[in-house]
Amino acid sequence: MWLISVLLSLSLILISVFVFYVKWSQSYWSRKRVPHIKPTSLWGNIENPFKQKLGVKHIAKEAYLEFKKRGVPHGGIYLFAEPVYMPINPELIKNILAKDFSYFNGHGFPHDAKKDPLSAHLFNLDGDSWRNTRVKLTPVFTSGKMKTMFNTVLDCGEPLIQYINDKLKTNESLNIHESMSLFTIDVIGSCAFGVECNSFKDPDAEFKKFGYQVTKVSPRNKVYNFMKFVAPSVGKIIHVRRVTLEMENFVINMIQGVLDYRKSGKVVRNDFMQLFLELERKAKANNEDSFTIEEIAAQAYVFIVGGFETSATTMTFLLHELAYNQEIQDKLRNEVREILKQYNGNITYDGIMEMKYLDHVVNETLRTK
Ligand SMILES: *[C@@H]1O[C@H](CO)[C@@H](O)[C@H](O)[C@H]1NC(C)=O
Ligand SMILES: *[C@@H]1O[C@H](CO)[C@@H](O)[C@H](O)[C@H]1NC(C)=O
Ligand SMILES: *[C@@H]1O[C@H](CO)[C@@H](O)[C@H](O)[C@H]1NC(C)=O
């Protein structure tokens, strides 16, 4: 009997200490005299992560609007016990992103280059490894290099046009979001990974399955997000794999295959893999370190994470808006036709750069408020 009461008191003490610790952590901003939003529960300003309804992006936006309304230059919120700083004043933001950038070069996302190599991509890295990777990658992301990939993107348009034409012939309705997703997958596969995906024709295309899997919210993602937002310090110690071992092997093997094939067969394609091969050649010539296969895979992987859902959704919303705004649709169509005519009917990089109204339409689609 006494054992139970000892255990009970012990757990009560532990719980009190824990609650006290959380409460104390959640007084950080008042101790620093920074304007803040009062925590609504023990979770701080976020919802109970096991019963999320709104998501942390919504909460960040609400906090931003609240600070903006109060007219304060900055503010603080709490993700559970973790105080999070939120600059509001554009001058402050400019300082962080420009003048004092060397102190702010981490995004704060957990990653582990050894145990979870695909999580160590440019977006997640911080500190020196971020800087080194950034410097090595800079020659890859010039507008000139993007221009050389243009025709690779263009080639992915053919299957899309074919797909739409087939649907038209049989009067079938067209799922725009699906079409745009398939097109985006083709572009990413082609440009970032150097593989032809055939998403439109092949319902079982492996690369397509992989792309959809990355953007799906799985229980693993939930645990990961929980660690990321609620217990980042614990997340640093117990790293939750961001990428399944199966997916990691799939990506690394695929990229290894592409690189080997390029090296042996002397095929040259205008894509991301080609740029890595060039970097490798240059590094060898200068006796410098080049990227490892895991590092290359991570940098390619991030195109799926950052480029798939975002691009597909933007194009879907754009087409949705055009469907509801006939006048704008006509005006845009006229501009496209006009400029294509100047380029003898060819879609070119320079031609698209001249499509000012198209740029407006894209910007308007991305505008949030
Ligand atoms: C498709 O629909 C249009 C208009 O409703 C109709 O004129 C045409 O005959 C249809 N074509 C086929 C193949 O069903
Ligand atoms: C347009 O494309 C065709 C076929 O690809 C090519 O022969 C022609 O030179 C191009 N015209 C211009 C102006 O680039
Ligand atoms: C669209 O937005 C981009 C990025 O903010 C900007 O550089 C560009 O000038 C905008 N285009 C137009 C036509 O306003």
Side-chain angles (χ1 to χ4, degrees):
M1 196 58 203
W2 66 269
L3 185 67
I4 293 179
S5 70
V6 164
L7 279 181
L8 214 62
S9 345
L10 206 62
S11 39
L12 273 179
I13 290 172
L14 281 179
I15 290 171
S16 323
V17 167
F18 178 72
V19 170
F20 180 79
Y21 164 76
V22 173
K23 288 276 180 207
W24 186 77
S25 303
Q26 289 177 352
S27 67
Y28 181 84
W29 294 122
S30 39
R31 279 182 280 130
K32 295 276 175 199
R33 297 181 194 284
V34 169
H36 57 276
I37 293 169
K38 269 211 165 63
T40 42
S41 70
L42 202 63
W43 294 109
N45 298 103
I46 55 172
E47 312 154 273
N48 179 343
F50 300 102
K51 284 193 244 158
Q52 270 197 40
K53 282 209 195 84
L54 302 169
V56 75
K57 296 177 195 86
H58 178 86
I59 282 150
K61 184 180 161 198
E62 291 293 305
Y64 170 79
L65 292 175
E66 167 66 23
F67 290 131
K68 193 96 181 149
K69 206 172 77 192
R70 290 193 208 165
V72 291
H74 60 185
I77 60 170
Y78 301 97
L79 302 184
F80 191 36
E82 187 92 354
V84 174
Y85 180 69
M86 193 178 260
I88 307 292
N89 181 319
E91 282 304 312
L92 258 179
I93 297 174
K94 212 165 100 189
N95 277 350
I96 292 174
L97 292 178
K99 192 166 131 270
D100 297 328
F101 183 63
S102 50
Y103 302 103
F104 294 97
N105 58 19
H107 288 114
F109 294 136
H111 56 273
D112 189 327
K114 291 222 167 55
K115 290 190 208 127
D116 190 7
L118 296 194
S119 71
H121 50 67
L122 198 58
F123 191 75
N124 281 354
L125 291 174
D126 40 39
D128 285 342
S129 44
W130 174 81
R131 200 188 317 276
N132 292 338
T133 311
R134 176 79 177 75
V135 168
K136 279 202 273 181
L137 274 177
T138 303
V140 172
F141 293 113
T142 62
S143 54
K145 292 276 158 60
M146 295 296 125
K147 212 169 156 176
T148 60
M149 282 193 207
F150 182 77
N151 283 325
T152 313
V153 177
L154 202 55
D155 289 342
C156 297
E158 285 302 322
L160 173 66
I161 294 170
Q162 187 67 44
Y163 182 75
I164 295 175
N165 276 341
D166 290 348
K167 294 272 180 188
L168 270 180
K169 267 183 219 142
T170 54
N171 272 357
E172 258 179 280
S173 64
L174 179 71
N175 183 330
I176 293 290
H177 186 234
E178 193 194 353
S179 318
M180 293 303 118
S181 298
L182 295 177
F183 170 68
T184 310
I185 280 278
D186 271 4
V187 170
I188 294 174
S190 232
C191 290
F193 291 81
V195 292
E196 254 179 63
C197 321
N198 238 335
S199 303
F200 284 102
K201 295 245 166 68
D202 180 4
D204 295 319
E206 246 193 313
F207 192 83
K208 179 165 83 185
K209 280 198 238 162
F210 153 69
Y212 277 106
Q213 205 188 328
V214 171
T215 43
K216 215 173 56 191
V217 181
S218 62
R220 172 189 302 278
N221 287 12
K222 285 197 178 139
V223 176
Y224 173 87
N225 282 335
F226 178 74
M227 288 293 201
K228 182 167 76 181
F229 291 118
V230 175
S233 27
V234 181
K236 271 188 199 125
I237 304 164
I238 325 166
H239 181 78
V240 180
R241 250 182 179 287
R242 182 64 172 142
V243 183
T244 61
L245 194 60
E246 185 194 0
M247 173 129 34
E248 179 184 313
N249 288 335
F250 172 71
V251 175
I252 291 180
N253 287 340
M254 178 168 63
I255 286 181
Q256 186 75 64
V258 170
L259 292 177
D260 288 347
Y261 181 64
R262 294 284 171 87
K263 279 182 201 162
S264 67
K266 306 230 185 305
V267 207
V268 178
R269 271 188 85 207
N270 287 320
D271 59 27
F272 201 53
M273 289 300 128
Q274 201 63 39
L275 299 177
F276 272 107
L277 287 173
E278 273 166 36
L279 285 185
E280 195 175 283
R281 251 197 305 275
K282 279 202 193 111
K284 260 204 191 121
N286 298 332
N287 260 329
E288 285 165 8
D289 277 346
S290 178
F291 285 104
T292 64
I293 180 80
E294 285 83 7
E295 283 167 340
I296 297 177
Q299 311 315 323
Y301 177 77
V302 75
F303 278 95
I304 289 270
V305 177
F308 174 36
E309 190 56 35
T310 45
S311 311
T313 314
T314 303
M315 288 188 281
T316 305
F317 278 123
L318 191 152
L319 292 171
H320 176 82
E321 289 297 338
L322 286 184
Y324 278 97
N325 294 281
Q326 187 67 44
E327 213 178 301
I328 292 171
Q329 189 190 127
D330 292 339
K331 196 167 164 188
L332 180 59
R333 186 178 289 107
N334 283 340
E335 181 189 68
V336 172
R337 285 191 173 145
E338 202 59 43
I339 288 172
L340 285 187
K341 215 192 290 168
Q342 290 168 23
Y343 285 86
N344 296 323
N346 295 347
I347 304 178
T348 58
Y349 184 87
D350 294 328
I352 289 192
M353 286 299 145
E354 279 175 40
M355 296 180 186
K356 284 279 166 299
Y357 194 66
L358 175 64
D359 203 23
H360 280 296
V361 169
V362 173
N363 282 6
E364 181 63 13
T365 306
L366 292 169
R367 192 167 63 92
T368 49
K369 220 173 188 169

